[in-house]
Amino acid sequence: MKAAVLTEFNKIEIIDKVRPSISDDEVLVKVKYNGICGTDLHVMQGHHPAAVPPLVMGHEFSGTVEKKGKHVGDEIKIRDRVVVQPYESCGECEPCKSGCENVCRELKIFGVHRDGAYQEYVNVKASRLFRLDDSISDIAAALIEPLAVAVHDVKKSGLKIGGSVIVIGGGPIGLLIAVVAGINGASKIAISEINPARIKKARQLGFQVINPAEENLADKAYKMTDGRGFDAVFEVSGSRPGTEAMTMLAKTSGTIVIVGIPPEKHPVDTDTVFKKELNIVGVRLYSKVDFQAAVDIMKNEENRRKLMELVSAEYPLEQLTEAIAYLRNSSDAYKVLIKIGE
């Protein structure tokens, strides 16, 4: 099969390699599309401590079942169209036993700890498959994994119907969080963003935008919330200014969700955390329930139309390096998809 291999940091080579074998509880998935994730950029540059070349990156993928192991049940059939929850957990550690397999102590993420989906075939545990109905195209299906991230983040915020939300950072995950917050009944949704292209996209999707480079972020935020502050603040930028602003933007007893991965540690205003009695929540990946919710969200035509507006470009597998460069260097790039199979 054809595979795009990170042979050394910042160098991808297209090679021929043997298809993966499958165990009795696995299936072989023929990959159709894979979305480029920010994690791929970190891995490629050598900024992820767990990822070591040679490695096949990629974990946001859709495909079809090509082969299945002898212990895989009849509910999964050859040629089923599927998406994959792209990590493996041990099932034995305390987090796993308490229902938090997304923070398993032995977590193995596709494209980071093991080969991922920038190749024609991937071996996957059958328990990680989610079948697709005909309403969801292969392209739309490749958005389900990052959508599951947003589902998990919004759930962890404890957002209630009619609540208010501000997202610091209007990139792909930030906008997905805003979309999911709207689906979950948020009455006010704002995006804090300084990039003109991202501001334009956020407004196209119907969100209010505050540009801290041009207006006072706190003044505008409190005006939008009648002086209270926001029920839920999602810090998605991973930036120092975002970290400094998040406690200021939250209402008393509000919740801050730390989504963005900062390049370095940033100080947090613990005095404001104390005075407002704020809740600060960390998030990582998603649960199986979150992933199924993302699949269900994508079944809705209006949701799907809005989410597909985030697709910026499509490249063949042979141009993965060029696709990553486009995503890294273009201010108006959101989700860039790699087409791998027919």
Side-chain angles (χ1 to χ4, degrees), residues 188-302:
K188 289 188 177 91
I189 304 172
I191 309 286
S192 173
E193 179 58 64
I194 62 174
N195 180 308
R198 291 184 170 187
I199 289 172
K200 181 180 179 181
K201 177 62 72 175
R203 286 176 173 155
Q204 285 175 347
L205 291 171
F207 302 120
Q208 297 183 70
V209 178
I210 306 173
N211 182 350
E214 297 181 352
E215 52 193 334
N216 187 290
L217 177 58
D219 288 350
K220 186 71 177 288
Y222 278 92
K223 184 176 181 180
M224 288 177 62
T225 57
D226 300 321
R228 291 190 300 270
F230 287 91
D231 295 300
V233 178
F234 296 88
E235 205 310 290
V236 190
S237 71
S239 68
R240 187 183 183 108
T243 305
E244 291 173 347
M246 65 187 188
T247 51
M248 173 182 61
L249 299 174
K251 76 170 189 178
T252 299
S253 297
T255 298
I256 297 167
V257 183
I258 307 296
V259 182
I261 302 173
E264 58 187 9
K265 293 180 180 179
H266 301 311
V268 175
D269 180 2
T270 53
D271 183 59
T272 300
V273 174
F274 163 75
K275 288 177 178 176
K276 287 186 175 181
E277 201 173 55
L278 299 176
N279 305 294
I280 298 181
V281 180
V283 288
R284 188 181 187 190
L285 295 172
Y286 34 71
S287 68
K288 193 166 188 175
V289 171
D290 300 327
F291 209 95
Q292 182 61 63
V295 174
D296 292 340
I297 286 171
M298 194 63 83
K299 291 177 183 177
N300 178 277
E301 184 177 357
E302 177 60 23

Side-chain angles (χ1 to χ4, degrees), residues 94-132:
E94 190 276 334
C96 281
K97 288 182 177 179
S98 64
C100 301
E101 63 171 359
N102 56 306
V103 286
C104 169
R105 291 172 183 162
E106 303 297 327
L107 193 71
K108 291 182 173 57
I109 302 171
F110 285 45
V112 176
H113 304 92
R114 56 151 285 179
D115 279 349
Y118 291 130
Q119 56 186 5
E120 291 183 291
Y121 296 91
V122 179
N123 59 306
V124 177
K125 295 287 186 184
S127 60
R128 300 294 178 185
L129 291 187
F130 293 78
R131 286 184 295 174
L132 300 169

